Amino acid sequence: MRSWTDTLRFAFQPVVNLATGGVAGLEILARPEAGDVLAEARRDPELDGRLAVLAVRAAARRETLLPLHVNVFAGTLADLGGLTPLHDAVRAVGRLPWEVTVDIGPPYTHVPQRALLEAVGVLRAQGFRISADGVGDGDVPLRLLADLAPDLVKLDASLLTRPAATRAMRTLCEQLGALLSVEGVETELQCAAAVSAGAQLAQGALFAPPARLPAADVYVPPRSPGDMAPSSRSGPSVREFVRPAALLPATASAGQVRALLTGSPDVSGVLLVDAQGVPVRSVHRSRFLLSMSGRYGHALYADRPAARLGDPPRTVGADATAWEVLDVLAVGGRERTSDDVAVVDSFGRCVGVVRLADLVRALAESRVEEAAGLNPLTRLPGSDAITGEVDRCVAEGRTFALSWLDVDHFKQVNDGAGFAAGDELIRSVGRTLQGAASGTTRVGHIGGDDFLVLADPERLGPLAAAVLDAPWSAGGRPVTLSLATVLCPPGSVRDHREAASCLAPLKKAAKALQGASWVLGRAGLPGLEVLRGAQAAPAPAG
């Protein structure tokens, strides 16, 4: 009698890295030729667990080195308390648990949340990575999503038509330390929306449909600078550029490494890892094959440990920035600048690699985009950069202070001292503001003598003192500055336009004061506080 497994097949759909354009992993999808085995699996946890095991075995038969995504219902995990057979199957086919992401899917209704969280804890202890699947089109409670603290959140593409919700999910992912992926992407417009929202990964028919054989090539629409998601001041996160790593045990022979490299021409290097997945040696493709191809090379090394032909691995944490990776590459001999850098999790286990070419391209694009928005006089960003950061603060529910600064009677400065002296004054003010900025403070020059400053409230004092206490002059004429600040706690403004509207009357009040002035107001509340400056003397009676 034929078993249901006799008619069960599996399809592979690539998970694409939107920054590198490469395949970051493969989701394994059950495709029965008859019946609805998935509906049965939803009701039968034991069957669902067996499907996960069969998915891993199917991937092993295709000899794929890519990380795997295996689907499991939330109810299955809560009922079984973990997936020990899956862990055994992964080890049996020669894979490592941290190369496998368990995609936990809905329904979540009536699933005991405590039991689910305990089961997820067991999976994490075994080394598996966790993904929350079907978010936006499923029934996962937000509180449970936060408690799961997944490594990856898979968002349904239907949510891309609601940009505010998508941005909010990206913000939640940043707080959880998770990557954001979008499922079901079918058009280039959806892909552009995913990139704009800050998603790092995506999958769907646009890139490659599910297929019986793992896709060797995927289509990824080219990205323009305007499509780039905003990066932090310290540079884009290394997580955006992680590629799958080619891993072998630390005891692997040179012959095993050679077989892997010659059979996988796109692999640039191999990491040798210990039993816990911690990199111990790094084997560079070109240097290794050169040694093996030399006279007597194969005879000398084939059966010996590949570690002898490797180098100490270069590693960065998953929370590093692209600039920090470049710092790692800059240390040591020039011959190793093209080496892959291993990205490791908090346990030191390898979760992937980054390549120099990806980082250089992304950083160059961000610099070109940034330069296009810089004021040519001060080389500071314009208003768009600051207002974009304001909207980001609003979305993240952070308290922030938005300040406006300008030179008093600047037209008279230009008329009396000349435009050259006025330009030099503006440049000096810009340099002082930038020098006084610290932490997350952003300084922008929006034209003429007007500057915008976005800062945490506690950083305002030193910055105000730096610009207001300085003895400013132009062409020998003393000059004073005016500063206006609005404090915006969470919920006080909806976007940068409302913040600017609150700032406008404070600016007018600051300009009405004599000497260097500073006024402070609070969004949504009447009144203001004069921190610097004196009231102008009343005009004498006629």
Side-chain angles (χ1 to χ4, degrees):
M1 185 175 186
R2 297 185 72 191
S3 167
W4 59 269
T5 58
D6 295 333
T7 60
L8 183 65
R9 301 292 182 266
F10 289 93
F12 301 88
Q13 183 168 52
V15 179
V16 176
N17 185 314
L18 293 172
T20 66
V23 179
L26 293 172
E27 181 173 355
I28 315 173
L29 305 168
R31 290 290 187 263
E33 294 181 1
D36 191 351
V37 69
L38 294 181
E40 295 179 35
R42 189 179 292 114
R43 298 186 295 267
D44 184 348
E46 294 288 346
L47 174 58
D48 193 30
R50 289 182 64 193
L51 284 176
V53 169
L54 291 172
V56 170
R57 291 175 180 169
R61 287 195 296 272
R62 298 302 183 187
E63 297 182 349
T64 175
L65 296 173
L66 290 166
L68 306 176
H69 288 247
V70 178
N71 294 289
V72 177
F73 290 112
T76 295
L77 291 179
D79 189 81
L80 299 181
L83 290 173
T84 300
L86 177 63
H87 180 266
D88 295 340
V90 168
R91 289 290 190 177
V93 300
R95 300 301 294 265
L96 301 170
W98 37 94
E99 296 179 273
V100 178
T101 298
V102 178
D103 287 2
I104 305 174
Y108 288 85
T109 304
H110 307 308
V111 173
Q113 293 190 9
R114 183 170 182 176
L116 174 60
L117 293 173
E118 289 176 353
V120 168
V122 172
L123 289 174
R124 277 210 170 92
Q126 292 172 335
F128 291 105
R129 302 176 68 76
I130 303 299
S131 167
D133 203 354
V135 175
D137 194 42
D139 60 345
V140 54
L142 278 178
R143 186 179 68 179
L144 176 61
L145 183 60
D147 291 341
L148 282 173
D151 303 285
L152 175 67
V153 171
K154 288 193 172 182
L155 193 68
D156 189 82
S158 62
L159 213 61
L160 293 174
T161 59
R162 298 165 177 81
T166 309
R167 288 195 298 269
M169 189 55 60
R170 167 62 194 259
T171 299
L172 177 60
C173 286
E174 289 180 347
Q175 298 296 320
L176 297 175
L179 293 177
L180 179 62
S181 180
V182 179
E183 294 185 291
V185 176
E186 298 180 349
T187 67
E188 294 195 8
L189 284 176
Q190 287 181 319
C191 181
V195 172
S196 178
Q200 295 98 347
L201 305 171
Q203 58 189 106
L206 173 68
F207 312 106
R212 293 289 176 86
L213 294 176
D217 297 301
V218 294
Y219 168 74
V220 181
R223 293 175 61 166
S224 64
D227 293 331
M228 301 292 288
S231 299
S232 66
R233 292 187 69 208
S234 54
S237 168
V238 72
R239 295 164 67 89
E240 299 178 23
F241 309 100
V242 174
R243 290 177 176 265
L247 304 177
L248 284 177
T251 55
S253 68
Q256 290 174 297
V257 171
R258 184 177 183 276
L260 190 157
L261 290 176
T262 54
S264 306
D266 57 329
V267 172
S268 55
V270 176
L271 287 172
L272 305 179
V273 297
D274 64 15
Q276 285 70 47
V278 177
V280 294
R281 300 293 283 179
S282 173
V283 179
H284 185 270
R285 180 187 188 91
S286 298
R287 295 197 298 273
F288 174 84
L289 293 179
L290 186 63
S291 298
M292 291 290 288
S293 62
R295 192 177 184 184
Y296 309 122
H298 189 273
L300 284 172
Y301 299 116
D303 297 325
R304 298 188 179 184
R308 295 187 180 184
L309 295 176
D311 299 290
R314 291 180 165 180
T315 62
V316 295
D319 57 350
T321 67
W323 291 110
E324 290 172 321
V325 178
L326 293 185
D327 290 339
V328 170
L329 286 169
V331 176
R334 185 175 300 176
E335 71 279 358
R336 295 200 63 192
T337 54
S338 63
D339 285 16
D340 292 343
V341 175
V343 181
V344 298
D345 62 15
S346 58
F347 298 100
R349 302 177 303 207
C350 179
V351 297
V353 296
V354 289
R355 295 180 180 176
L356 177 63
D358 292 334
L359 299 181
V360 171
R361 182 176 63 252
L363 292 173
E365 289 173 348
S366 67
R367 283 293 180 257
V368 169
E369 182 183 14
E370 181 182 327
L374 296 181
N375 185 285
L377 182 62
T378 58
R379 308 305 296 167
L380 290 173
S383 59
D384 288 349
I386 304 301
T387 55
E389 287 292 328
V390 170
D391 287 340
R392 190 176 180 86
C393 290
V394 172
E396 293 176 357
R398 298 192 341 241
T399 297
F400 64 91
L402 182 64
S403 299
W404 162 89
L405 176 83
D406 81 342
V407 178
D408 295 328
H409 312 296
F410 185 64
K411 185 178 183 304
Q412 296 178 21
V413 172
N414 270 343
D415 291 344
F419 290 108
D423 287 350
E424 181 54 37
L425 174 63
I426 295 302
R427 281 191 288 265
S428 297
V429 172
R431 287 194 295 267
T432 301
L433 280 171
Q434 189 72 345
S438 60
T440 58
T441 300
R442 297 294 305 272
V443 176
H445 182 194
I446 60 177
D449 62 322
D450 293 315
F451 295 86
L452 277 178
V453 180
L454 176 65
D456 295 330
E458 61 270 16
R459 300 186 184 275
L460 280 174
L463 187 143
V467 291
L468 297 180
D469 291 342
W472 299 106
S473 64
R477 300 166 180 263
V479 174
T480 58
L481 308 181
S482 293
L483 179 66
T485 300
V486 59
L487 293 181
C488 301
S492 60
V493 294
R494 287 179 294 184
D495 54 26
H496 69 271
R497 295 177 183 83
E498 285 195 1
S501 178
C502 295
L503 191 56
L506 300 175
K507 171 183 175 180
K508 184 176 180 180
K511 298 299 288 183
L513 299 172
Q514 288 185 329
S517 61
W518 183 19
V519 299
L520 177 70
R522 290 167 175 79
L525 298 177
L528 57 86
E529 186 178 355
V530 177
L531 302 178
R532 295 281 188 101
Q535 296 290 342

